[in-house]
């Protein structure tokens, strides 16, 4: 087994880990007490610990407490409060097992049938570190989490922030959509195109936040409108099974209706099957749905490659239909209607 020091214990103890005022030292202490409390309840290495993944500090503490005892965290989207950990004793170990299965995330995959994807901390941390490096994220930056922590996108943002000794800000859903971002002024935030559209509908001053856009295709028109408003955008492509992001670029190139997103991030590869399906591999590839996954892994997405502009995502393989002897992608119809 490969062990690694918990990143919470490596950050400056007085730095703010979770806004408004929870420091890394305090969070690390809560994790240690939580690990001891889980052991007192009878949990041990390899056990699965399920809990609601609310956007609050207790979720982060429970994740790391489960990982510290070698258990498998199973965050789920059901809303509900988490009780703070009690007790004053500290768990003696301050290391994490990087290779053991550490996380189960529910995903519907391409079939629509719910499955449980398994991950090690090595895969999750590798993804977070690679994306942070691609963003040139310096230490101590502010990261806004607006996606549930039961999804790899939300969890990925949290890990990027903590691994770069930054501060996590949970989205305040009681505010207007604009104020959810402008009240925090984060350095980094992840949005889907619909969220970006809603933001652009409001009168907003220039935003210094680096916005990662993913989850669905972004039109060139919406991209140029956002850039014209002074926004900094990076277009992404990723999937749960790759622990989040595979492609990331702040210089997309459109040819027709399709955006090209450059080359894969370091440690990841993309290829095409004979039918044009995107196949991915790399050191962030998950452990499978109970059995080891094929590598390269079939994503269910269709793509194309341009020798100068890299990779483009064309839509879902299972959404394609036949009309008049021609293969039709509904995403192309949608893009034409939106234009």
């Amino acid at each position: 087994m490969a062990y690694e020091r918990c990143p919470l214990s490596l950050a400056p103890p007085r730095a703010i880990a979770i806004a408004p005022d929870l420091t890394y030292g305090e969070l690390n202490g809560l994790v240690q007490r939580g690990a001891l409390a889980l052991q007192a309840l009878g949990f041990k290495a390899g056990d699965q610990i399920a809990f609601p993944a609310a956007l609050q500090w207790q979720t982060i503490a429970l994740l790391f407490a489960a990982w510290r005892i070698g258990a498998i965290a199973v965050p789920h989207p059901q809303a509900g409060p988490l009780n703070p950990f009690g007790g004053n004793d500290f768990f003696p170990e301050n290391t994490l097992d990087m290779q053991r299965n550490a996380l189960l995330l529910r995903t519907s995959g391409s079939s629509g049938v719910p499955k449980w994807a398994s991950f090690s901390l090595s895969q999750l941390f590798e993804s977070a570190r690679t994306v942070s490096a691609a963003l040139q994220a310096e230490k101590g930056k502010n990261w806004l989490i607006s996606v549930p922590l039961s999804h790899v996108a939300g969890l990925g943002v949290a890990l990027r922030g903590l691994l770069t000794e930054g501060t996590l800000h949970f989205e305040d859903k009681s505010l207007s959509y604009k104020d959810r971002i402008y009240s925090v002024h984060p350095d980094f935030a992840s949005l889907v195109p619909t969220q970006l559209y809603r933001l652009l509908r409001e009168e907003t001053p220039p935003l210094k936040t680096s916005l990662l856009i993913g989850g669905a295709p972004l039109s060139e028109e919406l991209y140029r409108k956002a850039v014209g408003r002074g926004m900094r955008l990076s277009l992404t492509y990723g999937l749960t099974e790759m622990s989040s992001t595979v492609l990331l670029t702040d210089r997309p190139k459109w040819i027709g209706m399709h955006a090209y997103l450059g080359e894969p991030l370091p440690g990841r590869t993309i290829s095409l099957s004979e039918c044009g399906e995107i196949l991915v591999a790399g050191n962030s590839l998950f452990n499978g749905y109970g059995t080891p996954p094929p590598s390269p892994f079939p994503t269910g997405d269709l793509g194309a490659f341009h020798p100068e502009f890299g990779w483009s995502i064309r839509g879902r393989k299972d959404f394609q239909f036949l009309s008049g002897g021609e293969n039709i992608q509904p995403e192309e119809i949608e893009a034409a209607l939106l234009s």
Side-chain angles (χ1 to χ4, degrees), residues 237 246-247 260 262-264 269-281 295-307 310-315 317:
Y237 166 72
V246 178
L247 298 170
Y260 285 80
E263 297 291 343
T269 62
I270 294 181
S271 57
L272 289 179
S273 70
E274 292 183 357
C275 67
E277 181 179 6
I278 291 178
L279 309 175
V280 292
S295 183
F297 179 79
T299 64
D301 295 317
L302 298 174
F305 180 76
H306 189 284
W311 291 94
S312 173
I313 314 303
R314 298 302 175 89
K317 175 184 175 182

Side-chain angles (χ1 to χ4, degrees), residues 38 42-50 66 69-74 100-102:
L38 291 174
F43 290 107
K44 59 185 183 301
D47 286 348
Q48 297 178 9
I49 303 177
I69 67 170
I72 302 172
V74 189
R100 184 192 298 270
N101 286 342

Side-chain angles (χ1 to χ4, degrees), residues 112-135:
V113 179
K115 293 175 286 189
W116 289 97
S118 175
F119 303 85
S120 70
L121 289 182
S122 176
Q123 294 152 357
L124 297 170
F125 285 16
E126 166 62 26
S127 175
R129 286 167 175 155
T130 304
V131 174
S132 298
L135 293 172

